[in-house]
Amino acid sequence: MTILRRLHETKGMRIHTTDGDIGHVHDVYLDDADWRVRYFHVDTGRWLGGRHVLLAPTVVRAVDWDGGRIHVTIGREEVERCPDIDAHRPVSRQHDVPLDAYVPFSGRSRPGRAMSWRPACTTC
């Protein structure tokens, strides 16, 4: 049975990597063409001195709605290598890279539309 949740319920949820918590969801960015989650904007808080990074939904392993945690398949070291995001520039332009250079996106490609945005920051 599928349960629909509101995206705003993910804001503030803790991000738990394979080796510990790294911060919380600051915001959720959607693909404006098909309304899929494109990135989780993560505030790393005290762990990385307040850096903000983007994580794609492809790295989400499980969501603990009751516990307020999103479990991801990557470790702290991979998050640490992610570049800071510049909130004053469009995300789609700031992070464009070939899709096959990173973790594959679980969604289907749309005909005639190249998917060139970063699906995860795992080898930054």
Side-chain angles (χ1 to χ4, degrees):
M1 177 176 172
T2 302
I3 299 174
L4 297 177
R5 299 278 185 156
R6 294 183 181 184
L7 281 179
H8 77 269
E9 291 180 51
T10 62
K11 288 185 181 183
M13 290 184 86
R14 305 293 304 161
I15 299 293
H16 186 78
T17 66
T18 57
D19 50 359
D21 283 353
I22 61 159
H24 68 275
V25 175
H26 177 77
D27 209 348
V28 179
Y29 298 150
L30 301 175
D31 184 315
D32 62 355
D34 60 15
W35 295 100
R36 292 183 189 183
V37 173
R38 185 166 175 179
Y39 296 108
F40 290 100
H41 173 169
V42 178
D43 178 349
T44 63
R46 293 181 304 235
W47 176 61
L48 284 178
R51 283 184 53 209
H52 290 241
V53 298
L54 298 178
L55 295 180
T58 56
V59 300
V60 173
R61 182 174 48 86
V63 178
D64 177 1
W65 293 102
D66 295 330
R69 275 206 166 103
I70 297 175
H71 298 268
V72 296
T73 59
I74 61 176
R76 289 172 148 231
E77 186 176 319
E78 292 168 301
V79 174
E80 210 168 352
R81 288 193 308 256
C82 290
D84 292 339
I85 65 167
D86 181 352
H88 302 292
R89 293 175 52 199
V91 170
S92 61
R93 298 291 177 246
Q94 178 179 322
H95 296 286
D96 279 354
V97 295
L99 178 65
D100 57 3
Y102 297 93
V103 178
F105 184 73
S106 60
R108 289 182 285 156
S109 177
R110 291 174 295 283
R113 182 172 177 194
M115 292 176 61
S116 62
W117 43 272
R118 175 176 300 174
C121 184
T122 61
T123 57
C124 301

